[in-house]
Amino acid sequence: MPVDTSPPRDVRSLFPRLEALLPHVQKPIQYVGGELNSTVKDWDATDVRWALMYPDAYEVGVPNQGVMILYEVLNEQPDTLAERTYSVWPDMEALMREHGLPQFTVDAHRPVSAFDVLGLSFATELGYTNMLLALDLAGIPFNSADRTMDHPIVIAGGHSAFNPEPIADFIDCAVLGDGEQAVLEITDVIRAWKAEGRHGGRDELLMRLARTGGVYVPRFYDVDYLPDGRIQRVVPNRPGVPWRVSKHTVMDLDEWPYPKQPLVPLAESVHERMSVEIFRGCTRGCRFCQAGMITRPVRERSITGVGEMVERGLQATGFEEVGLLSLSSADHSEIAPMTKGLADRYEGTQTSLSLPSTRVDAFNIDLANELTRNGRRSGLTFAPEGGSERIRKVINKMVTEDDLIRTVTAAYSAGWRQVKLYFMCGLPTETDEDVLQIAELAKKVITTGREVTGSRDIRCTVSIGGFVPKPHTPFQWVGQLGHEATDARLAKLRDAVRSDRQFAKAIGFRYHDGKPGIVEGLLSRGDRRVGKVIKAVYDAGGRFDGWSEYFSFDRWMTAADQALADEPVDVDWYTTRDRDNNEVLPWDHLDSGLDRDWLWEDWQDALTGTEVDDCRWTPCFDCGVCPQMGTEIQAGPTGATLLPLTVLNSARDRVLSTADAE
Amino acid sequence: MARKPEGPPPPPAVQRLRMHYAKRGRLRFSSHRDFQRAFERALRRAAVPMAYSAGFSPHPKVSYAGAAPTGTGSEAEYLEIALAQACDPEQLRRAIDESLPPDLDVIEIVEVPVNGAPSLADRLQASVWALRLPGVAYDEAARAVGAFLAAPAVEVSRMTKNGLRTFDARGPVVALEVADTPGDGPATGEQPGPCAILRLVVRHVTPAVRPDDVLTGLRQIGALAPPETPAVTRLAQGPLDESSGAVSDPLAPDRGDVGA
C-alpha cells in the first residue's frame, strides 16, 4: 500500500458542477476529457500525483508531445498518477469565478490544488500569464513564498525553462532538458519525503530536489544587481545548493518509445495527426535557433524503433497522417529507407507521412514522393530564414540560393505547384537590403517554376516573422530590432513583392507585426524583475498572449512602465540593448552544456560571416555539450530495414470474417 | 492542363450500410464535427474497408444526416457508409462500437442496395425530444405548454452563423406535452426537487426549429424560466405520420432488404 501522509483532501469529481456550465461556453467538448487513450486512476491507490499543464487552450495543448510523454511515463508507474489541465477560455473563466469552480483536470475533473505537483510545460514564454490564470483559478498563491504544505509544488519545464528567471517568483522549481527520467526522479524524491512524514515541510522537499543538481529552485539563489541595472552575481543562499543546475539528457530514445498510446481528442486540435519523434537534438548550428542549441547532442531513434512506434500508434489512434518529428527530419541517417519502408507498409491504406521540418539541402524528390505515396500531397515548406547569402552566413544557415533553386526546380518538375518559404526579419547585422533580397528570391522561385512546368499556375508563399534573440544561443548578447524598425522593413518588403506585376499575384506574403516579438524578447531574456511586469499584465486582464485577438502590446508596455518605474531598467534595456561578453546574464547559472566562451566565439564568427559545419559529419567544433554533460552523438545508420507488417490486416479480417465465410 | 491524381481510381463501393447510433452522457457536448472526426478514426482503428472518393484528397464515403445540436444527447442518430469490401453488418456494428469512445454507441447497422435505395435523409422528417427541466414543477410547465400551443405563431430569434435569425417556433411543433410522471430528481445539480419532463415532436424544416428554440418560445409566451440548465435528448427521428403525430423507425423499410 502506498504511504500517504498528506491530509485528506476533497478530490471528488467537479464534473457535476462543471456540467451545468458547459451548455453556456464555446466548444464545451474541450473541458469534458475522456479522450481515447486517456487515463483515470484511483486517487487512493497512488501516493504521488501530478497535474500536468500545457498553459494554452486545449486545442493547442492536447497534441503537445512533451505533456503526452510525461503523462504516459508517470501513469505507467503503479503508485503515481498524472492528469492533465489546460487554460480555460475567458467565457469559461467568467463562469468558473461566478460559480466558484476551481481549475480542474480534464481526466477526472479533480481540483488542481489537490495534487502534489503542478507541472507546466512552456514551449513559449507567452504562456506565462496563463500560468497565473491557472494558479489563480486553482486557489494556489501566486508567489512560491506564500505557499504552504496544502499547495502543490509548481514546476516549470519546456524550452522556456532554460531561463525561468522572469517567473522565478511564481514557480517552486524549474527542470531543464528532457523530462522522461527527470519526472521519475522527482517523483521518487517526493515519495520518500511523504513516506517520512513530510518532515521539514516544503523547504525540506525543495532542498532535497535542489541537492540532486538537476532541479533549479530559484528561491535558493540570490540575485545582486549593479547600480546600472546589470546583474552583479547570482549565488546560492544556503549550503548544499549547487552553483549551477544541469539540464537532463535522455541518451537512448529507443528505450523511451513514448507516447505509445497517443491521445486522440474528439475536439479539433492544431495537429490532426500522430507524431513520432525520430530524433532529438540538432547540430546544424543555426545561430538563432534555441531549440538546436539546448537539445544537443543529436540522438536518433532507430529505424526499427520508429517503425514500431508508427505501427503501434496507428493501431491505437486511427490517425491518417503520421508526422516524423524532429528539428530537421530529413537529416536522420536513415530517412530514405525509413520513409520508403513506411510507405511500403502502409500502401493502399490512405496513410500519409509528413516531415514537419525539412531543410532545403536535405530534401530530395525521392523522399517527397515516398511521403505522398499513400495519401494527400500537401504543399512543400522550406525555411531559408535569411534573404541574402550574406545574412545566411551570419546565421549559419548553410543554404545557398543555388540549393534553393535546385530544390524548387525538382519539386515543381515532380508536380508540386506551391512552395512555402519561411524567413526572419531583424536578424543581427541585417539591413533593408538583406530583407529585400527575399523578394528577389521569391521571384526567382516563381520564374524557375514557370520555366520547368511551362505553366503560370505556380505559387510561392513567403512567411516572415520577427527574430527574437534567445538565451543559450550565440545571439544571446545581441540587441533585438525594435518593432518600429521591424515593421518598416516588412513594409518595404511587402511593397517590393507587390510592385512587380509579373509576380504580384504568384507570391503570397504573410507577416506579423513586430510588437509581440518585443514582449517575447522581454520574457525570453528577462530577469527576476520582469516577474512584476507579468503579474501586472495578468492583473490588468492579460491572458492568452500567444493569440493575436487577446494580445495587447499596450497592456504590456503600460504594465512594464509602472512595474519597472523604480528600477534602472526598462523594456528597451531588456530587448534592444547589446550585451558585452563580461555581463552576467540571468541564465548563466543554468547549464545547457554549451561553453559560454564557445558561444561568444560563435557570435564573433557570425559577425564575420564565418560558417561552422555540422559535427555529425565534420570534426567536433567544441561547443562543450558532450564533455560537460557526459553525452555523445547517437546516430546511425543501423542498416536495418522495415519488413512488411503481417498483422496490419488482422483487425480487418475480423470485420470481414463472416462475409468471407458466406 | 488540368492535373490528375496519380495511380488507379479507388475501388468502387460494393456495399452500402445505414447505421443507427447514440450520443450519450458527457459526449453530448461533442459537436457534429467532433463526432465526424471520432467516427472516421474509429473506422480506421477497426480497419473497416471503406470506399473512398476519387480525387486529390480521397475521403471515406460517409453521409451524415440530421445531427443533433452540440449539448443535446441523442438516442437516434443516423448515417450511411459505403464499403469497398462486403462485411457482415453485425460484426461491423460490434467492431465500430468497440472502437468508438464510450458514450458513442452503435445500436444497429442495416444493409441497403448499393444503388437505388430511397434516401435516408428524406425519411428523417421529424424528431421526438425529451426535455428535462430540473427545478420546474409540473403545473408550471403545463401552463406554459398550454400557452405555447394556443398561440398561432411564436416568433423566436437565434444567433446563427449568418447572424441573428427570427422564425416561427410554433408552426413545426407537431406535439408538446408534459410527461405524466414527474421526474424523481433534477438531471444536474445536487438539490432534489421537482423536475418536469417535456415531450416534444417537431417537424424538420429550414431553418431548423431546435429544442432550445421551443424553450425560448416557452419563456417568451409562457414565462417559463427553468432555474437550471435543461437536459435535452432526442429519443427518435424518422418518418412522420401527420395524422397521429407518430415518428417511426427510419430503418424499418430497409431491414431484410438485402441478402434475406
Side-chain angles (χ1 to χ4, degrees), chain A residues 15 19-20 22-24 29 32 36 266-268 272 317-320 349-351 376 652 655-659, chain B residues 3 6 26 28-30 33-34 37 41 44-45 47-49 52 58-59 70 85-88 91 95 98 229:
Chain A
F15 193 76
E19 194 171 22
L22 291 177
H24 310 290
I29 191 71
V32 165
L36 189 72
L266 272 103
E268 185 168 17
E272 293 286 311
T317 62
F319 279 119
E320 55 183 22
T349 65
Q350 305 290 344
T351 308
R376 297 161 192 182
R652 176 159 301 179
V655 290
L656 290 173
S657 57
T658 309
Chain B
R3 287 184 301 145
E6 289 157 28
R26 293 177 187 194
R28 73 179 186 277
F29 294 109
S30 58
R33 277 164 51 80
D34 297 334
R37 259 189 306 277
R41 281 173 193 154
R44 292 175 64 84
R45 284 194 297 277
V48 177
Y52 276 82
H59 283 281
T70 307
Q85 275 178 276
C87 292
D88 172 65
Q91 295 267 16
E98 273 172 30
T229 308

Short mmCIF file of all heavy atoms in Angstrom, two decimals, chain A residues 15 19-20 22-24 29 32 36 266-268 272 317-320 349-351 376 652 655-659, chain B residues 3 6 26 28-30 33-34 37 41 44-45 47-49 52 58-59 70 85-88 91 95 98 229:
data_model
loop_
_atom_site.label_atom_id
_atom_site.label_comp_id
_atom_site.label_asym_id
_atom_site.label_seq_id
_atom_site.Cartn_x
_atom_site.Cartn_y
_atom_site.Cartn_z
N PHE A 15 -17.12 17.36 -11.99
CA PHE A 15 -17.88 17.33 -13.25
C PHE A 15 -19.35 17.70 -13.10
O PHE A 15 -19.87 18.45 -13.94
CB PHE A 15 -17.74 15.99 -13.97
CG PHE A 15 -18.23 16.06 -15.38
CD1 PHE A 15 -17.47 16.68 -16.35
CD2 PHE A 15 -19.49 15.58 -15.73
CE1 PHE A 15 -17.93 16.79 -17.65
CE2 PHE A 15 -19.96 15.69 -17.03
CZ PHE A 15 -19.17 16.30 -17.99
N GLU A 19 -20.70 20.46 -15.48
CA GLU A 19 -21.67 20.09 -16.50
C GLU A 19 -22.75 21.15 -16.68
O GLU A 19 -23.19 21.42 -17.79
CB GLU A 19 -22.31 18.75 -16.08
CG GLU A 19 -23.07 18.07 -17.18
CD GLU A 19 -23.48 16.66 -16.77
OE1 GLU A 19 -23.55 16.39 -15.54
OE2 GLU A 19 -23.74 15.85 -17.65
N ALA A 20 -23.13 21.77 -15.57
CA ALA A 20 -24.17 22.80 -15.64
C ALA A 20 -23.69 24.04 -16.38
O ALA A 20 -24.49 24.82 -16.89
CB ALA A 20 -24.62 23.16 -14.23
N LEU A 22 -21.39 23.87 -18.96
CA LEU A 22 -20.95 23.55 -20.33
C LEU A 22 -21.88 24.03 -21.43
O LEU A 22 -21.41 24.40 -22.51
CB LEU A 22 -20.70 22.04 -20.45
CG LEU A 22 -19.48 21.54 -19.67
CD1 LEU A 22 -19.36 20.02 -19.80
CD2 LEU A 22 -18.20 22.20 -20.19
N PRO A 23 -23.21 24.02 -21.21
CA PRO A 23 -24.07 24.50 -22.31
C PRO A 23 -23.86 25.98 -22.62
O PRO A 23 -24.33 26.46 -23.65
CB PRO A 23 -25.49 24.26 -21.78
CG PRO A 23 -25.34 23.21 -20.74
CD PRO A 23 -24.01 23.46 -20.11
N HIS A 24 -23.16 26.70 -21.76
CA HIS A 24 -23.04 28.15 -21.95
C HIS A 24 -21.67 28.58 -22.45
O HIS A 24 -21.37 29.76 -22.44
CB HIS A 24 -23.37 28.85 -20.62
CG HIS A 24 -24.65 28.37 -20.01
ND1 HIS A 24 -25.87 28.65 -20.56
CD2 HIS A 24 -24.90 27.58 -18.94
CE1 HIS A 24 -26.83 28.07 -19.85
NE2 HIS A 24 -26.26 27.41 -18.86
N ILE A 29 -16.71 20.54 -25.54
CA ILE A 29 -16.06 19.22 -25.53
C ILE A 29 -14.63 19.31 -24.98
O ILE A 29 -14.11 18.35 -24.42
CB ILE A 29 -16.07 18.62 -26.97
CG1 ILE A 29 -15.65 17.14 -26.95
CG2 ILE A 29 -15.20 19.39 -27.93
CD1 ILE A 29 -16.69 16.22 -26.34
N VAL A 32 -14.33 18.26 -21.32
CA VAL A 32 -15.02 17.04 -20.91
C VAL A 32 -14.06 15.88 -20.63
O VAL A 32 -14.34 15.01 -19.81
CB VAL A 32 -16.06 16.67 -22.00
CG1 VAL A 32 -16.54 15.25 -21.82
CG2 VAL A 32 -17.24 17.64 -21.95
N LEU A 36 -9.67 9.26 -26.23
CA LEU A 36 -9.16 7.92 -26.45
C LEU A 36 -7.71 7.88 -25.93
O LEU A 36 -6.92 8.79 -26.20
CB LEU A 36 -9.19 7.62 -27.95
CG LEU A 36 -8.89 6.18 -28.34
CD1 LEU A 36 -10.06 5.28 -27.94
CD2 LEU A 36 -8.65 6.09 -29.83
N LEU A 266 -11.57 14.28 -29.12
CA LEU A 266 -12.72 14.46 -30.00
C LEU A 266 -12.68 15.85 -30.63
O LEU A 266 -13.02 16.04 -31.77
CB LEU A 266 -14.03 14.31 -29.22
CG LEU A 266 -14.53 12.87 -29.15
CD1 LEU A 266 -14.21 12.30 -27.80
CD2 LEU A 266 -16.00 12.79 -29.45
N ALA A 267 -12.26 16.81 -29.82
CA ALA A 267 -12.21 18.19 -30.30
C ALA A 267 -11.13 18.33 -31.37
O ALA A 267 -10.15 17.58 -31.39
CB ALA A 267 -11.91 19.12 -29.14
N GLU A 268 -11.31 19.31 -32.22
CA GLU A 268 -10.30 19.58 -33.23
C GLU A 268 -9.10 20.21 -32.54
O GLU A 268 -9.23 21.05 -31.66
CB GLU A 268 -10.86 20.55 -34.27
CG GLU A 268 -9.91 20.78 -35.42
CD GLU A 268 -10.59 21.51 -36.57
OE1 GLU A 268 -11.66 22.10 -36.37
OE2 GLU A 268 -10.02 21.47 -37.68
N GLU A 272 -3.72 17.57 -36.37
CA GLU A 272 -4.61 16.43 -36.58
C GLU A 272 -3.81 15.27 -37.15
O GLU A 272 -4.04 14.80 -38.25
CB GLU A 272 -5.74 16.83 -37.53
CG GLU A 272 -6.68 17.86 -36.92
CD GLU A 272 -7.60 17.25 -35.87
OE1 GLU A 272 -8.21 16.20 -36.14
OE2 GLU A 272 -7.68 17.81 -34.76
N THR A 317 -4.68 4.82 -32.52
CA THR A 317 -5.31 6.13 -32.73
C THR A 317 -6.25 6.22 -33.92
O THR A 317 -7.25 6.92 -33.88
CB THR A 317 -4.24 7.23 -32.95
OG1 THR A 317 -3.50 6.91 -34.14
CG2 THR A 317 -3.32 7.33 -31.74
N GLY A 318 -5.89 5.56 -35.04
CA GLY A 318 -6.68 5.72 -36.25
C GLY A 318 -6.40 7.00 -37.01
O GLY A 318 -7.14 7.38 -37.90
N PHE A 319 -5.31 7.68 -36.67
CA PHE A 319 -4.95 8.89 -37.43
C PHE A 319 -4.61 8.51 -38.87
O PHE A 319 -4.16 7.39 -39.14
CB PHE A 319 -3.74 9.59 -36.80
CG PHE A 319 -4.11 10.45 -35.62
CD1 PHE A 319 -3.58 10.19 -34.36
CD2 PHE A 319 -4.94 11.53 -35.77
CE1 PHE A 319 -3.91 10.98 -33.27
CE2 PHE A 319 -5.27 12.35 -34.68
CZ PHE A 319 -4.76 12.07 -33.44
N GLU A 320 -4.79 9.44 -39.79
CA GLU A 320 -4.46 9.13 -41.17
C GLU A 320 -3.20 9.86 -41.64
O GLU A 320 -2.85 9.81 -42.80
CB GLU A 320 -5.62 9.40 -42.10
CG GLU A 320 -6.19 10.79 -42.03
CD GLU A 320 -7.39 10.93 -42.95
OE1 GLU A 320 -8.00 9.89 -43.28
OE2 GLU A 320 -7.69 12.06 -43.33
N THR A 349 -3.51 2.25 -47.76
CA THR A 349 -4.29 2.45 -46.54
C THR A 349 -4.63 3.91 -46.29
O THR A 349 -5.14 4.25 -45.23
CB THR A 349 -3.52 1.95 -45.30
OG1 THR A 349 -2.35 2.76 -45.14
CG2 THR A 349 -3.12 0.50 -45.43
N GLN A 350 -4.40 4.76 -47.28
CA GLN A 350 -4.68 6.20 -47.11
C GLN A 350 -4.00 6.76 -45.86
O GLN A 350 -4.60 7.48 -45.08
CB GLN A 350 -6.20 6.45 -47.02
CG GLN A 350 -6.99 5.91 -48.18
CD GLN A 350 -6.75 6.66 -49.47
OE1 GLN A 350 -6.23 7.76 -49.46
NE2 GLN A 350 -7.11 6.07 -50.58
N THR A 351 -2.76 6.37 -45.67
CA THR A 351 -1.99 6.89 -44.54
C THR A 351 -0.85 7.73 -45.09
O THR A 351 0.00 7.20 -45.81
CB THR A 351 -1.42 5.74 -43.69
OG1 THR A 351 -2.47 4.86 -43.35
CG2 THR A 351 -0.75 6.28 -42.45
N ARG A 376 -2.29 12.31 -49.10
CA ARG A 376 -2.53 13.58 -49.76
C ARG A 376 -1.22 14.31 -49.99
O ARG A 376 -0.31 14.23 -49.18
CB ARG A 376 -3.45 14.42 -48.89
CG ARG A 376 -4.79 13.73 -48.75
CD ARG A 376 -5.55 14.24 -47.58
NE ARG A 376 -6.69 13.33 -47.34
CZ ARG A 376 -7.60 13.49 -46.41
NH1 ARG A 376 -7.52 14.53 -45.60
NH2 ARG A 376 -8.58 12.64 -46.25
N ARG A 652 -8.91 -6.09 -39.85
CA ARG A 652 -9.82 -6.14 -41.00
C ARG A 652 -10.38 -7.55 -41.18
O ARG A 652 -11.55 -7.73 -41.50
CB ARG A 652 -9.08 -5.69 -42.26
CG ARG A 652 -9.92 -5.81 -43.51
CD ARG A 652 -9.43 -4.93 -44.62
NE ARG A 652 -9.41 -3.53 -44.22
CZ ARG A 652 -9.00 -2.57 -45.02
NH1 ARG A 652 -8.58 -2.82 -46.24
NH2 ARG A 652 -9.00 -1.32 -44.61
N VAL A 655 -13.60 -7.95 -39.19
CA VAL A 655 -14.88 -7.44 -39.71
C VAL A 655 -15.29 -8.17 -40.97
O VAL A 655 -16.46 -8.20 -41.33
CB VAL A 655 -14.85 -5.91 -39.97
CG1 VAL A 655 -14.80 -5.16 -38.66
CG2 VAL A 655 -13.74 -5.51 -40.89
N LEU A 656 -14.31 -8.78 -41.67
CA LEU A 656 -14.64 -9.46 -42.92
C LEU A 656 -15.02 -10.91 -42.70
O LEU A 656 -15.57 -11.55 -43.59
CB LEU A 656 -13.45 -9.40 -43.87
CG LEU A 656 -13.13 -8.03 -44.46
CD1 LEU A 656 -11.83 -8.10 -45.24
CD2 LEU A 656 -14.27 -7.55 -45.35
N SER A 657 -14.73 -11.46 -41.52
CA SER A 657 -14.75 -12.91 -41.35
C SER A 657 -16.05 -13.56 -41.80
O SER A 657 -16.05 -14.48 -42.60
CB SER A 657 -14.47 -13.27 -39.89
OG SER A 657 -15.42 -12.63 -39.07
N THR A 658 -17.19 -13.04 -41.32
CA THR A 658 -18.44 -13.71 -41.64
C THR A 658 -18.80 -13.53 -43.11
O THR A 658 -19.27 -14.47 -43.76
CB THR A 658 -19.58 -13.14 -40.76
OG1 THR A 658 -19.12 -13.19 -39.42
CG2 THR A 658 -20.82 -13.96 -40.90
N ALA A 659 -18.54 -12.33 -43.61
CA ALA A 659 -18.86 -12.10 -45.01
C ALA A 659 -18.07 -13.06 -45.91
O ALA A 659 -18.58 -13.60 -46.88
CB ALA A 659 -18.56 -10.66 -45.37
N ARG B 3 -4.54 18.92 -63.80
CA ARG B 3 -3.78 17.80 -63.22
C ARG B 3 -4.73 16.68 -62.85
O ARG B 3 -5.89 16.89 -62.57
CB ARG B 3 -3.04 18.29 -61.98
CG ARG B 3 -1.88 19.17 -62.32
CD ARG B 3 -1.13 19.53 -61.07
NE ARG B 3 -2.00 20.23 -60.11
CZ ARG B 3 -1.91 20.08 -58.80
NH1 ARG B 3 -1.05 19.24 -58.28
NH2 ARG B 3 -2.70 20.76 -57.99
N GLU B 6 -2.45 10.77 -59.44
CA GLU B 6 -1.71 9.62 -59.94
C GLU B 6 -2.37 8.33 -59.50
O GLU B 6 -3.13 8.30 -58.54
CB GLU B 6 -0.27 9.66 -59.40
CG GLU B 6 0.55 10.77 -60.03
CD GLU B 6 1.72 11.16 -59.14
OE1 GLU B 6 2.19 10.30 -58.38
OE2 GLU B 6 2.13 12.33 -59.21
N ARG B 26 -21.53 12.47 -21.27
CA ARG B 26 -20.65 13.62 -21.47
C ARG B 26 -20.45 13.95 -22.94
O ARG B 26 -20.18 15.08 -23.30
CB ARG B 26 -19.27 13.33 -20.88
CG ARG B 26 -19.31 13.22 -19.40
CD ARG B 26 -17.96 12.86 -18.85
NE ARG B 26 -18.12 12.61 -17.43
CZ ARG B 26 -17.13 12.52 -16.57
NH1 ARG B 26 -15.89 12.65 -16.99
NH2 ARG B 26 -17.35 12.31 -15.30
N ARG B 28 -22.46 14.21 -25.16
CA ARG B 28 -23.47 15.08 -25.78
C ARG B 28 -22.87 16.46 -26.05
O ARG B 28 -23.40 17.22 -26.83
CB ARG B 28 -24.71 15.18 -24.92
CG ARG B 28 -24.58 16.01 -23.65
CD ARG B 28 -25.93 16.02 -22.92
NE ARG B 28 -25.95 16.90 -21.77
CZ ARG B 28 -25.51 16.57 -20.56
NH1 ARG B 28 -24.96 15.38 -20.36
NH2 ARG B 28 -25.58 17.42 -19.56
N PHE B 29 -21.75 16.76 -25.40
CA PHE B 29 -21.11 18.05 -25.63
C PHE B 29 -20.21 18.05 -26.87
O PHE B 29 -19.58 19.05 -27.18
CB PHE B 29 -20.32 18.49 -24.40
CG PHE B 29 -21.20 18.77 -23.22
CD1 PHE B 29 -21.23 17.93 -22.12
CD2 PHE B 29 -22.06 19.86 -23.24
CE1 PHE B 29 -22.07 18.18 -21.04
CE2 PHE B 29 -22.91 20.12 -22.17
CZ PHE B 29 -22.92 19.28 -21.07
N SER B 30 -20.13 16.91 -27.55
CA SER B 30 -19.36 16.92 -28.80
C SER B 30 -20.21 17.55 -29.90
O SER B 30 -21.43 17.39 -29.92
CB SER B 30 -18.95 15.49 -29.18
OG SER B 30 -20.09 14.67 -29.31
N ARG B 33 -19.01 18.02 -35.91
CA ARG B 33 -17.65 17.85 -36.48
C ARG B 33 -16.78 17.00 -35.57
O ARG B 33 -15.96 16.21 -36.04
CB ARG B 33 -17.00 19.22 -36.70
CG ARG B 33 -17.43 19.88 -38.02
CD ARG B 33 -17.08 21.37 -38.03
NE ARG B 33 -15.69 21.63 -37.65
CZ ARG B 33 -14.66 21.50 -38.47
NH1 ARG B 33 -14.86 21.09 -39.70
NH2 ARG B 33 -13.45 21.76 -38.05
N ASP B 34 -16.95 17.16 -34.27
CA ASP B 34 -16.21 16.30 -33.33
C ASP B 34 -16.57 14.83 -33.57
O ASP B 34 -15.70 13.96 -33.60
CB ASP B 34 -16.54 16.65 -31.87
CG ASP B 34 -16.14 18.07 -31.49
OD1 ASP B 34 -15.20 18.61 -32.12
OD2 ASP B 34 -16.76 18.63 -30.57
N ARG B 37 -14.95 13.38 -36.78
CA ARG B 37 -13.53 13.03 -36.60
C ARG B 37 -13.40 11.73 -35.82
O ARG B 37 -12.66 10.83 -36.21
CB ARG B 37 -12.81 14.14 -35.83
CG ARG B 37 -12.00 15.08 -36.66
CD ARG B 37 -11.16 15.98 -35.75
NE ARG B 37 -11.98 16.66 -34.78
CZ ARG B 37 -12.66 17.77 -35.01
NH1 ARG B 37 -12.55 18.34 -36.19
NH2 ARG B 37 -13.40 18.33 -34.09
N ARG B 41 -11.93 8.13 -37.39
CA ARG B 41 -10.77 7.46 -36.76
C ARG B 41 -11.15 6.08 -36.24
O ARG B 41 -10.35 5.15 -36.30
CB ARG B 41 -10.23 8.33 -35.63
CG ARG B 41 -9.40 9.44 -36.21
CD ARG B 41 -8.97 10.43 -35.19
NE ARG B 41 -8.45 11.60 -35.89
CZ ARG B 41 -8.44 12.81 -35.42
NH1 ARG B 41 -8.90 13.05 -34.21
NH2 ARG B 41 -7.96 13.80 -36.13
N ARG B 44 -10.94 3.65 -38.96
CA ARG B 44 -9.56 3.24 -39.29
C ARG B 44 -9.01 2.28 -38.25
O ARG B 44 -8.32 1.31 -38.59
CB ARG B 44 -8.67 4.47 -39.43
CG ARG B 44 -9.03 5.33 -40.65
CD ARG B 44 -8.21 6.60 -40.70
NE ARG B 44 -6.79 6.33 -40.87
CZ ARG B 44 -6.19 6.12 -42.02
NH1 ARG B 44 -6.89 6.15 -43.14
NH2 ARG B 44 -4.90 5.89 -42.08
N ARG B 45 -9.31 2.54 -36.99
CA ARG B 45 -8.83 1.61 -35.96
C ARG B 45 -9.45 0.23 -36.13
O ARG B 45 -8.81 -0.78 -35.92
CB ARG B 45 -9.17 2.14 -34.56
CG ARG B 45 -8.29 3.26 -34.09
CD ARG B 45 -8.47 3.51 -32.60
NE ARG B 45 -9.81 3.93 -32.25
CZ ARG B 45 -10.25 5.19 -32.34
NH1 ARG B 45 -9.45 6.14 -32.76
NH2 ARG B 45 -11.49 5.49 -32.01
N ALA B 47 -10.25 -0.98 -38.87
CA ALA B 47 -9.85 -1.46 -40.21
C ALA B 47 -11.05 -1.77 -41.08
O ALA B 47 -11.08 -2.77 -41.80
CB ALA B 47 -8.92 -2.68 -40.08
N VAL B 48 -12.05 -0.92 -41.04
CA VAL B 48 -13.23 -1.09 -41.89
C VAL B 48 -12.82 -0.78 -43.34
O VAL B 48 -12.23 0.27 -43.59
CB VAL B 48 -14.38 -0.17 -41.44
CG1 VAL B 48 -15.58 -0.29 -42.36
CG2 VAL B 48 -14.76 -0.47 -40.00
N PRO B 49 -13.09 -1.69 -44.27
CA PRO B 49 -12.65 -1.47 -45.66
C PRO B 49 -13.52 -0.44 -46.38
O PRO B 49 -14.35 -0.79 -47.21
CB PRO B 49 -12.77 -2.86 -46.29
CG PRO B 49 -13.84 -3.53 -45.50
CD PRO B 49 -13.76 -2.99 -44.09
N TYR B 52 -13.52 4.90 -50.90
CA TYR B 52 -13.04 6.27 -50.86
C TYR B 52 -13.50 7.04 -52.08
O TYR B 52 -13.69 6.47 -53.16
CB TYR B 52 -11.51 6.30 -50.78
CG TYR B 52 -10.99 6.13 -49.36
CD1 TYR B 52 -10.88 4.87 -48.79
CD2 TYR B 52 -10.63 7.24 -48.61
CE1 TYR B 52 -10.41 4.71 -47.49
CE2 TYR B 52 -10.17 7.10 -47.31
CZ TYR B 52 -10.07 5.84 -46.75
OH TYR B 52 -9.61 5.71 -45.47
N PRO B 58 -8.68 11.97 -51.22
CA PRO B 58 -9.70 10.93 -51.09
C PRO B 58 -10.28 10.91 -49.68
O PRO B 58 -9.53 11.00 -48.71
CB PRO B 58 -8.93 9.63 -51.36
CG PRO B 58 -7.62 10.04 -51.93
CD PRO B 58 -7.34 11.43 -51.42
N HIS B 59 -11.59 10.84 -49.59
CA HIS B 59 -12.26 10.79 -48.28
C HIS B 59 -13.08 9.52 -48.20
O HIS B 59 -13.66 9.10 -49.20
CB HIS B 59 -13.19 12.00 -48.10
CG HIS B 59 -12.45 13.25 -47.77
ND1 HIS B 59 -11.99 13.51 -46.51
CD2 HIS B 59 -12.07 14.29 -48.54
CE1 HIS B 59 -11.36 14.67 -46.51
NE2 HIS B 59 -11.39 15.17 -47.74
N THR B 70 -24.93 20.43 -30.64
CA THR B 70 -23.97 20.30 -29.54
C THR B 70 -24.67 20.53 -28.21
O THR B 70 -25.44 21.47 -28.07
CB THR B 70 -22.86 21.36 -29.70
OG1 THR B 70 -22.32 21.23 -31.01
CG2 THR B 70 -21.76 21.15 -28.67
N GLN B 85 -15.26 -3.52 -49.59
CA GLN B 85 -15.34 -4.97 -49.43
C GLN B 85 -16.55 -5.24 -48.54
O GLN B 85 -16.75 -4.54 -47.55
CB GLN B 85 -14.10 -5.50 -48.70
CG GLN B 85 -12.91 -5.79 -49.60
CD GLN B 85 -11.75 -6.26 -48.74
OE1 GLN B 85 -11.02 -5.44 -48.18
NE2 GLN B 85 -11.58 -7.56 -48.62
N ALA B 86 -17.32 -6.24 -48.87
CA ALA B 86 -18.54 -6.50 -48.10
C ALA B 86 -18.22 -7.06 -46.72
O ALA B 86 -17.28 -7.84 -46.55
CB ALA B 86 -19.43 -7.50 -48.86
N CYS B 87 -18.99 -6.61 -45.73
CA CYS B 87 -18.80 -7.07 -44.35
C CYS B 87 -20.14 -7.54 -43.79
O CYS B 87 -21.20 -7.13 -44.25
CB CYS B 87 -18.31 -5.92 -43.47
SG CYS B 87 -16.67 -5.36 -43.86
N ASP B 88 -20.05 -8.34 -42.75
CA ASP B 88 -21.25 -8.73 -42.04
C ASP B 88 -21.70 -7.56 -41.16
O ASP B 88 -20.91 -7.07 -40.34
CB ASP B 88 -20.97 -9.96 -41.17
CG ASP B 88 -22.14 -10.27 -40.27
OD1 ASP B 88 -23.21 -10.61 -40.82
OD2 ASP B 88 -22.01 -10.11 -39.04
N GLN B 91 -21.11 -8.00 -37.29
CA GLN B 91 -19.68 -7.98 -36.95
C GLN B 91 -19.16 -6.54 -36.99
O GLN B 91 -18.40 -6.11 -36.13
CB GLN B 91 -18.88 -8.79 -37.99
CG GLN B 91 -19.20 -10.25 -38.00
CD GLN B 91 -18.25 -11.01 -37.09
OE1 GLN B 91 -17.58 -10.42 -36.26
NE2 GLN B 91 -18.22 -12.32 -37.23
N ALA B 95 -17.55 -4.13 -34.09
CA ALA B 95 -16.18 -3.60 -34.24
C ALA B 95 -16.15 -2.07 -34.14
O ALA B 95 -15.30 -1.50 -33.47
CB ALA B 95 -15.60 -4.06 -35.58
N GLU B 98 -16.94 -0.91 -30.48
CA GLU B 98 -15.79 -1.07 -29.59
C GLU B 98 -14.74 -0.01 -29.85
O GLU B 98 -14.01 0.42 -28.96
CB GLU B 98 -15.15 -2.45 -29.79
CG GLU B 98 -15.77 -3.53 -28.94
CD GLU B 98 -15.24 -4.90 -29.32
OE1 GLU B 98 -14.07 -4.98 -29.75
OE2 GLU B 98 -16.01 -5.87 -29.20
N THR B 229 -30.00 24.42 -16.05
CA THR B 229 -29.90 24.12 -17.47
C THR B 229 -30.70 22.86 -17.81
O THR B 229 -30.48 21.82 -17.21
CB THR B 229 -28.42 23.89 -17.84
OG1 THR B 229 -27.68 25.01 -17.38
CG2 THR B 229 -28.25 23.74 -19.34
#
